[in-house]
């Protein structure tokens, strides 16, 4: 069916913006895109099967969908995948249809659910002028000064196949080109472009000079107009030997964390590295700390990071534990969906995916952001966690007991009623603006769905290091290392003279 849709658009609207919307209610069991056979005793592949290479349909189906995606991008058509089923539908094989064309990838349980209906309505959102918030058939070309070389880009795009002298030998993401094509854009669409600083025939980089970058994006607006947008940036050159403090001062830890997350997810997805990606993330973090940290050799206690680097190690800690790199408890389809979202959203949203935000509501004062840590789980608090994919409201033990006793319905406890309503109102604000609409979870201490919170918080208290019934937060039953232990090891390795 998808092949016919691509063929129809190909012949009727060549090289003109358009989208194919594919609604998938189950796995394909016939034809070249087959991902599972008809016999119910054979389940669809899992990460375990992929590791053991026990996947007889995967390679052929993936190649088939990649060919379809390539045909669609040649003509400027995007493919959206809306997959709603209780089991996997083969999104992993089909991911290239969205990831190469720039189409939406949405995953849900049922087409009847309010979650899916609201998400689908948002696809057709309009701006104040009454035009769709989408653009089509876009190309982005990058030009740079001669000291820079282009390594590649990571985002929902395909190579534009444009070669010139500014291409680096080191390929990151989709490389060997200076232009990329994406058949659909939306307001939050973001690409990561990677550069390498090179010197011409051993000539030093001119100090005091500037390096230039230019991004030329042309696209078809929803109104039918062809638009071109040019962004030019210039940055001063700094010598790593003499101007390290200047380089350090311009470091943006949030952007760096998101770019590293994209690179790590790309490596885990597109290369054979798999488990080695975690080691690569660790190596890169240690190298950064050795370069920019202040310390005495072999003295971990003397280690200090500049202020604008201070949050970076904890971003990497949460990235290592995130569903982008840890496939345990996720199906291959879910992993493809999560990585697809990470590669297309803007910086703020990607950062929330890597390190979720946690807000605390209590009688002590107004709502405040708190540490994503077990110590934040207190009996007299309500927590609101935003992971981008889920919005979770967690009621502490005492609050949950009061709520179960119905205190909020008694007029003398009006302030308790307001406390219960505050996080719900804040959650609604997020639910109204995000695409795809996140799953809304309401739970309490000891509730089965509290697991969504417990798997994200830093396990500073576990069953190994705390007596039961302690007052400092709720221990998590895990053998994962905590951020504190992670930081101790990082300091040791960064200051070590053997490293």
């Amino acid at each position: 069916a998808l092949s016919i849709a691509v063929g129809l658009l190909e012949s009727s609207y060549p090289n003109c913006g358009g989208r194919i919307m594919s609604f998938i209610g189950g796995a394909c069991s016939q034809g070249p895109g087959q991902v599972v056979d008809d016999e119910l005793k054979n389940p669809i592949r899992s990460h375990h099967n992929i590791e053991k290479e026990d996947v007889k349909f995967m390679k052929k189906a993936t190649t088939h969908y990649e060919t379809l995606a390539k045909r669609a991008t040649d003509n400027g058509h995007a493919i959206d995948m809306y997959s709603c089923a209780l089991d996997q539908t083969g999104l992993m094989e089909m991911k290239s249809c969205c990831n190469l064309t720039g189409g939406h990838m949405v995953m849900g349980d049922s087409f009847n659910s309010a979650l899916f209906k609201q998400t689908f309505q948002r696809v057709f959102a309009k701006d104040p002028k009454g035009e769709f918030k989408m653009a089509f058939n876009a190309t982005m070309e990058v030009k740079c000064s001669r000291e820079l070389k282009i390594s590649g880009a990571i985002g929902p795009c395909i190579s534009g196949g444009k070669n010139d002298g500014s291409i680096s030998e080191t390929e990151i993401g989709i490389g060997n080109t200076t232009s990329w094509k994406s058949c659909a854009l939306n307001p939050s669409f973001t690409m990561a472009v990677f550069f390498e600083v090179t010197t011409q025939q051993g000539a030093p980089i001119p100090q005091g000079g500037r390096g230039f970058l230019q991004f030329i994006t042309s696209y078809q607006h929803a109104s039918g107009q062809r638009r071109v947008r040019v962004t030019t940036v210039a940055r001063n050159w700094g010598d790593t030997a003499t101007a390290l403090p200047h380089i350090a001062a311009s470091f943006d830890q949030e952007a760096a964390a998101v770019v590293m997350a994209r690179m790590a997810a790309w490596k885990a997805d597109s290369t054979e590295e798999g488990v080695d990606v975690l080691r690569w993330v660790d190596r890169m973090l240690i190298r950064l700390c050795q370069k920019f940290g202040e310390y005495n050799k072999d003295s971990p206690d003397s280690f200090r990071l500049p202020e604008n680097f201070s949050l970076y190690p904890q971003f990497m800690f949460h990235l290592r534990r995130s569903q982008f790199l840890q496939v345990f408890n996720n199906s291959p389809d879910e992993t493809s969906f999560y990585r697809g979202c990470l590669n297309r959203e803007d910086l703020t949203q990607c950062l929330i995916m890597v390190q979720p935000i946690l807000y605390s509501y209590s009688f002590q004062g107004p709502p405040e952001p708190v540490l994503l840590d077990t110590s934040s789980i207190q009996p007299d608090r309500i927590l609101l966690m935003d992971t981008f994919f889920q919005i979770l409201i967690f009621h502490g033990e005492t609050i949950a007991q009061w709520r179960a006793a119905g205190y909020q319905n008694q007029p003398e406890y009006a302030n308790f009623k307001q406390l219960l309503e505050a996080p719900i109102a804040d959650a609604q604000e997020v639910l109204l603006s995000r695409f795809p609409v996140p799953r809304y979870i309401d739970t309490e201490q000891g509730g089965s769905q509290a697991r969504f919170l417990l798997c994200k918080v830093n396990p500073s208290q576990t069953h190994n290091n705390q007596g039961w019934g302690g007052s400092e937060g709720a221990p998590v039953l895990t053998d994962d290392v905590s951020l504190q232990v992670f930081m101790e090891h990082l300091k040791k390795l960064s200051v070590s003279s053997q490293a």
Side-chain angles (χ1 to χ4, degrees):
L2 194 59
S3 182
I4 293 166
V6 171
L8 276 172
L9 264 188
E10 211 170 33
S11 51
S12 51
Y13 289 98
N15 208 21
C16 172
R19 38 186 353 133
I20 295 167
M21 294 184 166
S22 172
F23 299 88
I24 307 154
C28 176
S29 59
Q30 299 289 328
Q34 179 178 1
V35 291
V36 69
D37 60 21
D38 283 330
E39 291 199 38
L40 294 175
K41 67 178 182 185
N42 299 328
I44 192 167
R45 42 97 198 106
S46 65
H47 278 298
H48 194 59
N49 300 128
I50 295 167
E51 245 170 68
K52 290 170 130 184
E53 296 190 358
D54 177 19
V55 278
K56 67 176 184 183
F57 301 116
M58 192 173 99
K59 277 204 172 114
K60 189 182 168 198
T62 306
T63 310
H64 170 68
Y65 291 116
E66 278 173 3
T67 311
L68 285 181
K70 179 81 177 65
R71 276 172 57 193
T73 51
D74 286 347
N75 285 288
H77 302 145
I79 302 174
D80 296 343
M81 292 283 173
Y82 303 98
S83 161
C84 284
L86 294 172
D87 196 6
Q88 298 182 75
T89 58
L91 263 189
M92 185 199 168
E93 285 81 0
M94 299 181 207
K95 68 185 174 199
S96 54
C97 292
C98 310
N99 294 348
L100 299 183
T101 67
H104 297 304
M105 190 191 282
V106 172
M107 202 172 175
D109 294 338
S110 159
F111 289 119
N112 265 335
S113 65
L115 197 72
F116 173 75
K117 287 175 183 172
Q118 287 170 352
T119 299
F120 190 55
Q121 280 169 341
R122 269 174 217 178
V123 174
F124 303 100
K126 292 188 174 179
D127 62 15
K129 289 183 181 171
E131 288 162 350
F132 289 121
K133 288 185 181 174
M134 54 174 91
F136 303 95
N137 207 0
T139 55
M140 183 177 86
E141 192 180 340
V142 179
K143 295 184 184 298
C144 54
S145 49
R146 65 175 181 271
E147 301 87 2
L148 288 167
K149 292 274 189 269
I150 301 164
S151 294
I154 296 180
C157 60
I158 194 166
S159 167
K162 191 168 183 181
N163 292 341
D164 63 22
S166 59
I167 292 172
S168 164
E169 290 171 13
T170 312
E171 191 177 347
I172 299 172
I174 300 167
N176 287 325
T177 179
T178 59
S179 92
W180 294 267
K181 184 172 183 178
S182 187
C183 302
L185 302 180
N186 63 5
S188 65
F189 178 97
T190 312
M191 288 255 283
V193 185
F194 298 87
F195 300 92
E196 185 183 11
V197 179
T198 59
T199 52
Q200 301 291 319
Q201 287 87 38
I205 286 169
Q207 292 311 303
R210 310 191 93 186
F212 294 91
L213 291 174
Q214 189 172 64
F215 299 90
I216 305 163
T217 311
S218 66
Y219 61 90
Q220 182 185 327
H221 187 255
S223 63
Q225 288 177 325
R226 192 87 196 148
R227 296 187 178 181
V228 179
R229 179 174 178 167
V230 180
T231 309
T232 310
V233 288
R235 291 288 180 270
N236 296 331
W237 288 115
D239 187 1
T240 48
T242 56
L244 206 61
H246 291 291
I247 296 171
S250 63
F251 182 73
D252 181 335
Q253 56 190 348
E254 297 180 346
V258 171
V259 165
M260 284 297 285
R262 284 199 184 187
M263 282 175 78
W266 174 271
K267 278 176 178 286
D269 217 17
S270 313
T271 61
E272 299 301 313
E273 293 186 32
V275 184
D276 294 336
V277 172
L278 287 177
R279 292 194 194 117
W280 175 80
V281 170
D282 292 344
R283 273 201 311 275
M284 298 299 275
L285 177 60
I286 292 164
R287 279 170 59 186
L288 181 97
C289 291
Q290 285 172 334
K291 187 111 181 153
F292 294 102
E294 296 164 13
Y295 55 89
N296 303 324
K297 275 270 184 251
D298 296 318
S299 168
D301 295 338
S302 66
F303 183 84
R304 296 284 177 278
L305 270 175
E307 197 175 318
N308 59 330
F309 287 78
S310 57
L311 295 174
Y312 186 75
Q314 82 180 41
F315 290 143
M316 291 299 104
F317 169 76
H318 288 290
L319 172 65
R320 292 174 91 262
R321 301 182 75 217
S322 70
Q323 69 271 46
F324 305 116
L325 301 185
Q326 302 287 352
V327 296
F328 177 75
N329 211 15
N330 282 318
S331 68
D333 278 12
E334 286 173 310
T335 301
S336 299
F337 167 66
Y338 293 139
R339 286 175 181 166
C341 289
L342 178 72
N343 282 346
R344 70 185 60 215
E345 287 299 327
D346 61 28
L347 187 134
T348 312
Q349 309 299 339
C350 289
L351 213 53
I352 293 172
M353 295 181 206
V354 172
Q355 181 176 325
I357 304 174
L358 196 62
Y359 287 101
S360 160
Y361 298 78
S362 68
F363 290 123
Q364 272 76 50
E368 55 177 356
V370 288
L371 291 172
L372 188 67
D373 192 289
T374 46
S375 61
S376 299
I377 303 172
Q378 299 290 348
D380 59 346
R381 269 184 184 173
I382 302 176
L383 296 175
L384 171 66
M385 183 175 74
D386 179 0
T387 72
F388 183 84
F389 303 105
Q390 297 142 352
I391 300 286
L392 177 133
I393 296 177
F394 175 92
H395 299 87
E397 201 170 354
T398 312
I399 301 267
Q401 286 165 357
W402 290 350
R403 185 173 69 153
Y407 286 177
Q408 68 276 19
N409 303 325
Q410 298 174 24
E412 63 267 31
Y413 292 108
N415 60 341
F416 177 57
K417 187 179 181 183
Q418 284 167 355
L419 182 69
L420 287 179
E421 287 169 355
I424 297 171
D426 289 351
Q428 287 305 323
E429 269 183 49
V430 178
L431 290 167
L432 286 172
S433 59
R434 187 165 295 162
F435 179 90
V437 177
R439 192 177 293 276
Y440 177 70
I441 301 164
D442 187 312
T443 185
E444 58 193 39
Q445 176 80 43
S448 71
Q449 294 198 306
R451 65 185 189 277
F452 290 109
L453 173 69
L454 299 180
C455 75
K456 289 289 182 190
V457 292
N458 164 38
S460 56
Q461 292 129 10
T462 67
H463 57 295
N464 295 325
N465 64 2
Q466 191 204 26
W468 290 98
S471 60
E472 284 303 304
V476 175
L477 306 175
T478 180
D479 291 324
D480 283 1
V481 298
S482 67
L483 179 60
Q484 291 78 357
V485 174
F486 178 77
M487 286 304 292
E488 279 166 26
H489 283 282
L490 176 63
K491 286 175 185 176
K492 265 185 208 158
L493 289 165
S494 298
V495 304
S496 161
S497 43
Q498 276 88 41

